């Protein structure tokens, strides 16, 4: 009996060559602490994937205007919506495919291919000379950059169970910082005067930016077969109600977040007669910078503690419920002016991002 138990333990601790699962298991067995080096790699890669998502919003209005595809200034937002949504449309079509490829061939090839796609198609988008080239390059960028799902899977795999919340918060923090730094870089580096116009254009308030998190895809489970152990899992994913309900709720959260990210900047720069704030690009950048700092501090120091004590389900529920009354306050905030407006809109923006990213991370 003792010999059988020892043989079973030896089989469980046996590592196979060229087996990704065994390499991860060996890494976790030899390092019981926080894998800072691997989490740093995760942070850098996710940041690189998040930057192109929102970097176009500060200059997108002027880019569409210079394409001369809109007959009226009021139609620029219509065409800008196609350019902004083409990235997420491409991601929606290929996210599951990239997850399957990552499970079959490994995380590394998918991550490297995604980073290469970011470099190539983001550069081509910047060199676009007409509307359809811009839409096509953004669509291809979204379709071929399947980084986020594999990175979430990788972060959960390299961390022990007690540190998985930290790994997820690292991804959410990097994603949020990328969504904040992206518009800042795009706004500072873009030059509105690159094109010469024959007509006078009024000096406009500018800026479309994006806050928040995180479009994220569901992870596939990596299976490592070890001798003497048989796994029988023949249930259909469509009949797995806990999984499908999580996916549905996650899709609702992401739809809401992307709508908020697109609309907030347009609302902030709109004139007060239309219910906006009449903010300049510098004012919007200040709100985003404060939101990014608040999100960074919350994700690094508070989220792991809250998730550990309340649990991921309760955190998601609280985030969803508290977001509703918060958004109802925005029309009333627009009635304020001066210091009170600045303090309240900054606080509301930070709180909105914190609640949104907490719901998605959980």
């Amino acid at each position: 009996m003792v010999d059988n138990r020892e043989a079973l333990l030896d089989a469980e601790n046996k590592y196979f060559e060229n087996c990704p699962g065994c390499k991860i298991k060996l890494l976790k067995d030899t390092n019981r602490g926080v894998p800072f080096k691997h989490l740093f790699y995760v942070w850098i890669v996710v940041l690189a994937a998040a930057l192109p998502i929102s970097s176009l919003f500060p200059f997108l209005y002027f880019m569409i205007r210079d394409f001369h595809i809109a007959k009226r200034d009021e139609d620029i937002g219509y065409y800008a919506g196609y350019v902004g949504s083409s990235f997420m449309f491409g991601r929606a079509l290929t996210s599951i495919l990239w997850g399957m490829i990552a499970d079959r061939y490994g995380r590394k090839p998918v991550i490297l291919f995604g980073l290469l796609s970011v470099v190539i198609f983001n550069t081509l988008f910047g060199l676009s000379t007409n509307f359809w080239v811009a839409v096509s390059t953004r669509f291809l960028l979204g379709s071929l950059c399947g980084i986020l799902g594999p990175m979430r899977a990788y972060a959960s795999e390299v961390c022990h169970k007690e540190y998985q919340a930290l790994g997820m918060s690292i991804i959410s923090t990097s994603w949020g910082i990328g969504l904040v730094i992206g518009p800042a870089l795009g706004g500072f580096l873009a030059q509105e005067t690159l094109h010469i116009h024959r007509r006078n254009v009024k000096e406009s308030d500018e800026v479309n930016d994006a806050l928040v998190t995180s479009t994220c895809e569901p992870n596939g489970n990596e299976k490592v077969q070890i001798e003497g152990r048989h796994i029988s899992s023949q249930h259909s994913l469509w009949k797995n109600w806990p999984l499908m309900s999580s996916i549905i709720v996650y899709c609702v959260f992401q739809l809401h977040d992307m709508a908020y990210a697109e609309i907030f900047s347009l609302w902030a720069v709109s004139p007060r007669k239309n219910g906006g704030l009449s903010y300049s690009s510098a004012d919007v950048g200040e709100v985003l910078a404060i939101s990014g700092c608040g999100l960074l501090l919350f994700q690094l120091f508070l989220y792991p503690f809250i998730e550990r004590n309340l649990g991921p389900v309760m955190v998601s529920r609280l985030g969803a419920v508290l977001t509703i009354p918060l958004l109802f306050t925005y029309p009333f905030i627009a009635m304020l002016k001066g210091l009170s407006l600045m303090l309240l809109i900054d606080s509301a923006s930070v709180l909105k991002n914190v609640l949104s990213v907490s719901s998605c991370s959980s």
Side-chain angles (χ1 to χ4, degrees):
M1 190 71 177
V2 176
D3 294 338
N4 292 336
R5 187 179 301 171
E6 292 178 354
L8 181 60
L9 291 175
D10 291 339
E12 291 180 351
N13 294 327
K14 186 176 180 180
Y15 303 106
F16 295 88
E17 266 188 72
N18 300 323
C19 175
C22 292
K23 291 179 180 179
I24 293 295
K25 189 174 184 299
L26 177 61
L27 172 67
K28 295 168 70 173
D29 290 341
T30 55
N31 181 16
R32 307 298 299 181
V34 180
F36 291 104
K37 183 176 73 171
H38 295 84
L39 291 181
F40 176 74
Y41 296 154
V42 169
W43 191 85
I44 292 295
V45 172
V46 174
L47 180 65
L51 285 176
I53 295 178
S54 56
S55 59
L56 77 160
F57 290 117
F59 58 84
L60 182 59
Y61 176 91
F62 304 104
M63 190 178 192
I64 298 298
R65 184 194 65 187
D66 295 340
F67 287 155
H68 301 294
I69 191 173
K71 296 181 180 179
R72 302 178 305 163
D73 288 343
E74 290 80 1
D75 297 332
I76 292 179
Y78 172 79
Y79 292 99
Y82 281 105
V83 178
S85 63
S86 60
F87 178 89
M88 289 301 171
F89 180 65
R91 288 193 63 178
L93 294 179
T94 61
S95 294
I96 297 178
L97 176 62
W98 284 118
M100 296 170 61
I101 294 175
D103 289 338
R104 179 65 179 85
Y105 299 102
R107 320 284 188 218
K108 186 176 180 179
V110 173
I111 294 171
L112 292 177
F113 185 81
L115 290 175
L116 183 63
S117 300
V118 169
V119 174
I120 294 175
F121 290 103
N122 202 42
T123 303
L124 292 177
F125 171 75
L127 299 176
S128 301
T129 56
N130 62 68
F131 173 75
W132 294 110
V133 173
V135 172
S136 301
T137 51
R138 289 290 293 181
F139 174 77
L140 291 174
L141 176 59
S143 301
L144 300 179
C145 181
I147 289 178
L148 190 58
M151 291 309 298
R152 284 186 172 272
Y154 178 77
S156 64
E157 289 166 354
V158 299
C159 294
H160 288 279
K161 188 175 182 179
E162 59 268 24
Y163 300 123
Q164 285 184 354
L166 176 62
M168 293 298 103
S169 66
I170 289 292
I171 290 182
S172 300
T173 302
S174 179
W175 190 261
I177 292 175
L179 294 179
V180 172
I181 296 179
L185 290 176
F188 283 123
L189 298 179
Q191 296 183 14
E192 183 191 349
T193 56
L194 285 176
H195 300 269
I196 299 176
H197 304 279
R198 296 180 180 177
R199 56 189 180 87
N200 293 326
V201 181
K202 291 182 179 181
E203 186 179 354
S204 57
D205 299 339
E206 192 219 304
V207 175
N208 275 358
D209 32 66
L211 316 144
V212 178
T213 77
S214 92
T215 356
C216 315
E217 306 103 40
N219 307 325
N221 293 326
E222 214 171 274
K223 297 181 180 178
V224 179
Q225 295 182 351
I226 300 179
E227 296 177 355
R229 186 179 299 175
H230 301 281
I231 302 176
S232 58
S233 173
Q234 303 297 332
H235 299 289
S236 173
L237 288 178
W238 300 104
K239 297 179 180 179
N240 188 342
W241 173 241
L243 174 62
M244 297 308 299
S245 61
S246 300
I247 293 175
I248 293 172
V249 172
Y250 185 81
C251 290
V252 173
F253 282 155
Q254 289 302 307
L255 177 63
H256 167 263
D257 290 339
M258 290 308 301
Y260 176 84
E262 293 275 356
I263 295 172
F264 176 81
S265 57
L266 294 176
W267 171 68
V269 301
S270 298
R272 283 191 169 271
K273 65 179 181 179
N274 296 332
L277 302 180
S278 295
Y279 266 20
S280 65
S281 59
D283 296 329
V284 177
E286 181 181 344
V287 174
L288 293 179
I290 294 174
S291 301
C293 293
L295 180 63
L296 172 63
L297 295 175
F298 175 81
Q299 286 289 315
L300 289 180
F301 300 107
L302 294 180
Y303 175 77
F305 174 78
I306 296 175
E307 193 271 343
R308 191 181 305 115
N309 287 274
L310 298 181
V313 176
M314 183 57 66
V315 172
S316 297
R317 289 174 178 173
L318 289 175
V321 171
L322 294 177
T323 299
I324 297 174
L326 175 64
L327 292 178
F328 271 108
T329 63
Y330 275 59
F332 301 100
I333 293 178
M335 300 178 182
L336 303 175
K337 294 182 180 180
L339 182 61
S340 59
L341 172 63
M342 182 185 69
L343 292 177
L344 283 180
I345 195 64
D346 289 342
S347 302
S349 180
V350 170
L351 187 56
K352 172 63 180 67
N353 285 308
V354 164
L355 294 175
S356 174
V357 174
S358 298
S359 300
C360 295
S361 299
S362 302

